[in-house]
């Protein structure tokens, strides 16, 4: 009789070993040095990609006979913020287009003025150093949100991706994007961890930084109201306080100009009104369909808008937490629904880091060589586009 094939022979079940008793897992270090060590890979990765961009910009500027410092510290919108820090705000509406500084929110110029009063150097240098410092705080906040939701590796990839966006060079200019992203990221993290007082305070500060601060306020208020509905009544003050920064500045402008719609009148002088996206669709159709020789920078802006809208749909499909969806959705609604100038729209979306979460998740799960290749390509393209935007493109970023 032939033997029974080995694959059909029942194998004895291995004896289960009981692991030795262990003590409780050590609690994570919540002190600042421990938190910094935890975020170190993300911060070092972010610094690496931005330093690459700075080196490319410096070399390009040298070849064109320009200086890097004035390009980063005193160009375009930086002039407006420095002017507010030096002379304050206008008292009248006026009639000239693109000339009223009440369109610019006050927190960044106030910080520049305050820090410059107690430190050496010009206000332009202070503004640039503030932007650099805020960019690191922002990258840390971006990492913290990604780490909280999907782990350290995803948080690290998310922070590096944020530093490789096509217009990421703005993060190291004397602009408000880094400050605003830092406030938005940590406000969202505070909501995710139930720190309602911090969330409300950061939302108020974000509302004093940029017009899109309304997106942070909406995210905090929506999450807080949902918590109240579930019985967390301590979140109610946060829901009420979150919009006060944005509302406060808009109200102050109205009082200063003596008309209830003062801020919106200023925006009209900057040809910036909300039209539900009709203007954005016209620009996209003209650039991507009808224009035979569209300018490269405007094509990049258009692609950023289209890809951002697609990423938002992925975020909805992934069922991101409510505050992240509200923040990204309102940000897109404001930027895409505006009928104003088209070319800075990619910069306006720079704080929308939750839109990058689907990409960060995919890269974090991919094999390391593939992830490194994608991030390296993104860093190189961002460095080149940053130099092009500031030294070849003739308009503001």
């Amino acid at each position: 009789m032939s033997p029974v094939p080995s694959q059909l022979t029942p194998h004895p079940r291995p004896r289960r070993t009981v692991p030795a008793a262990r003590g409780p897992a050590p609690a994570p270090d919540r002190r600042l040095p421990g938190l910094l060590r935890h975020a170190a890979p993300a911060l070092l990765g972010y610094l690496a990609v931005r330093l690459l961009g700075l080196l490319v910009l410096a070399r390009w500027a040298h070849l064109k006979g320009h200086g890097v410092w004035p390009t980063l510290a005193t160009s375009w919108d930086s002039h407006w913020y420095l002017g507010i820090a030096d002379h304050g705000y206008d008292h009248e509406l006026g009639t000239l287009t693109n000339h009223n500084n009440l369109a610019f929110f006050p927190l960044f110029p106030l910080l520049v003025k305050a820090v410059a009063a107690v430190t050496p150097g010009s206000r332009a240098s202070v503004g640039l150093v503030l932007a650099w410092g805020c960019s690191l705080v922002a990258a840390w906040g971006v990492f913290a949100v990604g780490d909280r939701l999907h782990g350290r590796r995803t948080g690290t990839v998310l922070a590096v991706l944020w530093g490789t966006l096509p217009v990421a060079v703005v993060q190291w200019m004397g602009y408000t994007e880094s400050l605003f992203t830092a406030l938005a990221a940590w406000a969202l993290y505070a909501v995710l961890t139930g720190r309602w007082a911090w969330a409300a305070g950061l939302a108020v500060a974000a509302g004093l930084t940029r017009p899109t601060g309304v997106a942070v306020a909406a995210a905090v208020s929506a999450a807080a109201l949902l918590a109240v509905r579930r019985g967390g009544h301590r979140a109610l003050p946060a829901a009420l306080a979150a919009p006060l920064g944005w509302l406060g500045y808009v109200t102050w402008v109205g009082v200063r100009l003596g008309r209830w719609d003062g801020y919106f009148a200023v925006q009209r002088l900057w040809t910036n009104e909300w039209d539900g996206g009709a203007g954005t669709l016209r620009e996209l159709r003209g650039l991507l369909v009808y224009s035979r020789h569209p300018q490269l920078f405007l094509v990049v802006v258009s692609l950023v808008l289209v890809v951002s809208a697609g990423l938002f749909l992925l975020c909805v499909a992934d069922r991101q937490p409510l505050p992240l969806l509200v923040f990204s959705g309102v940000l897109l609604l404001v930027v895409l629904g505006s009928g104003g100038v088209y070319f800075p729209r990619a910069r306006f979306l720079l704080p929308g880091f939750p839109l990058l979460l689907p990409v960060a998740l995919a890269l974090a799960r991919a094999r390391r060589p593939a992830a490194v290749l994608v991030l390296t390509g993104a860093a190189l393209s961002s460095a080149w586009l940053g130099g092009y935007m500031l030294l070849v493109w003739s308009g503001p970023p």
Side-chain angles (χ1 to χ4, degrees), residues 60 76 165-170 173 175 177 283-284 287-288 291 293-306 341-350 381-397:
W60 202 332
W76 303 108
L165 289 172
V167 294
V169 67
V170 175
M173 294 179 67
Y175 276 47
E177 272 71 20
E283 293 284 353
L284 285 172
L287 284 165
L288 301 181
S291 180
H293 303 288
Q295 293 178 289
L296 174 61
F297 180 66
L298 296 180
V299 172
V300 171
V301 170
S302 301
L303 293 177
V304 168
L305 299 184
V306 173
V341 288
Y342 185 76
F343 51 83
R345 305 289 182 90
R347 171 168 65 87
F348 293 165
L349 288 177
L350 196 58
S381 64
S382 175
W384 186 85
L385 284 169
Y388 180 88
M389 182 174 68
L390 296 183
L391 299 172
V392 179
W393 164 251
S394 58

Side-chain angles (χ1 to χ4, degrees), residues 12 15 51 59 132 143 163 188 194 257 306 346:
R15 195 169 64 182
L51 285 172
R59 178 59 179 167
W132 290 352
F143 162 78
L188 293 173
L257 297 180
V306 173

Side-chain angles (χ1 to χ4, degrees), residues 30-378:
R30 296 298 181 187
R31 293 171 297 180
L32 183 60
L35 294 174
L36 275 173
R37 282 194 297 271
H38 186 66
L43 297 178
L44 291 174
Y46 172 77
L47 272 175
V49 298
R50 290 312 329 134
L51 285 172
L52 172 65
L54 183 62
L55 289 174
V56 170
L57 179 65
R59 178 59 179 167
W60 202 332
H62 175 74
L63 293 175
K64 292 181 71 70
H66 294 294
V68 174
W69 180 88
T71 301
L72 296 176
T74 62
S75 61
W76 303 108
D77 284 7
S78 300
H79 280 299
W80 289 100
Y81 293 118
L82 294 174
I84 294 168
D86 288 336
H87 310 296
Y89 280 104
D90 293 336
H91 291 272
E92 298 178 351
L93 180 62
T95 57
L96 296 176
T97 58
N98 302 336
H99 272 75
N100 195 302
N101 65 9
L102 287 165
F104 296 88
F105 279 53
L107 185 57
F108 185 71
L110 285 177
L111 288 176
V112 170
K113 185 175 182 178
V115 175
V118 295
T119 57
S122 66
R123 286 178 173 169
S125 298
V126 167
L128 191 56
V129 171
L130 275 175
W132 290 352
C134 289
S135 75
L136 289 174
V137 177
W140 191 358
V142 170
F143 162 78
V145 172
D147 179 39
R148 174 78 182 181
L149 295 176
H150 301 289
R152 190 185 191 190
R153 185 171 183 179
T154 300
T156 300
V157 173
L158 184 62
V160 175
L161 273 177
W162 184 68
T164 61
L165 289 172
V167 294
V169 67
V170 175
Q171 297 167 6
W172 281 16
M173 294 179 67
Y175 276 47
T176 59
E177 272 71 20
S178 289
L179 172 61
F180 181 73
T181 306
L183 295 170
W186 285 108
L188 293 173
Y189 180 78
V191 170
L192 294 174
T193 55
R195 294 174 171 88
W196 295 111
W198 277 103
L202 292 165
V204 169
L208 292 170
T209 305
R210 291 194 58 79
T212 45
V214 68
V216 183
V220 173
S221 293
L225 289 174
L226 182 61
V228 171
R229 184 180 178 184
R230 293 172 175 173
H233 298 294
R234 290 193 303 172
L236 182 59
L240 300 176
L244 293 181
W246 189 88
L247 290 174
Y249 181 67
V250 170
T251 302
W252 180 82
V253 173
V255 172
R256 190 174 183 85
L257 297 180
R259 49 186 296 177
W260 70 271
D261 66 338
Y263 173 75
F264 303 101
V266 171
Q267 289 295 332
R268 285 193 291 273
L269 282 179
W270 284 82
T271 65
N272 190 19
E273 294 183 80
W274 199 81
D275 65 359
T280 302
L281 290 175
R282 283 196 301 270
E283 293 284 353
L284 285 172
R285 184 176 57 188
L287 284 165
L288 301 181
V289 178
Y290 295 114
S291 180
R292 292 187 177 182
H293 303 288
Q295 293 178 289
L296 174 61
F297 180 66
L298 296 180
V299 172
V300 171
V301 170
S302 301
L303 293 177
V304 168
L305 299 184
V306 173
V307 171
S308 297
L311 287 174
F312 180 70
L313 296 178
L314 284 179
C315 293
V316 174
D318 286 346
R319 297 183 179 180
Q320 276 188 9
L322 176 69
L324 272 64
L325 289 177
V326 172
F327 171 68
S328 300
V330 175
L331 184 66
L332 282 169
L333 191 66
V334 172
V335 174
L336 298 182
S338 172
V341 288
Y342 185 76
F343 51 83
R345 305 289 182 90
R347 171 168 65 87
F348 293 165
L349 288 177
L350 196 58
F353 70 92
L355 296 171
L356 299 172
L357 262 175
V359 182
L361 270 170
L363 290 177
R365 293 167 179 168
R367 293 185 177 182
R368 190 178 297 271
V372 170
L373 182 63
V374 171
L375 291 174
T376 301

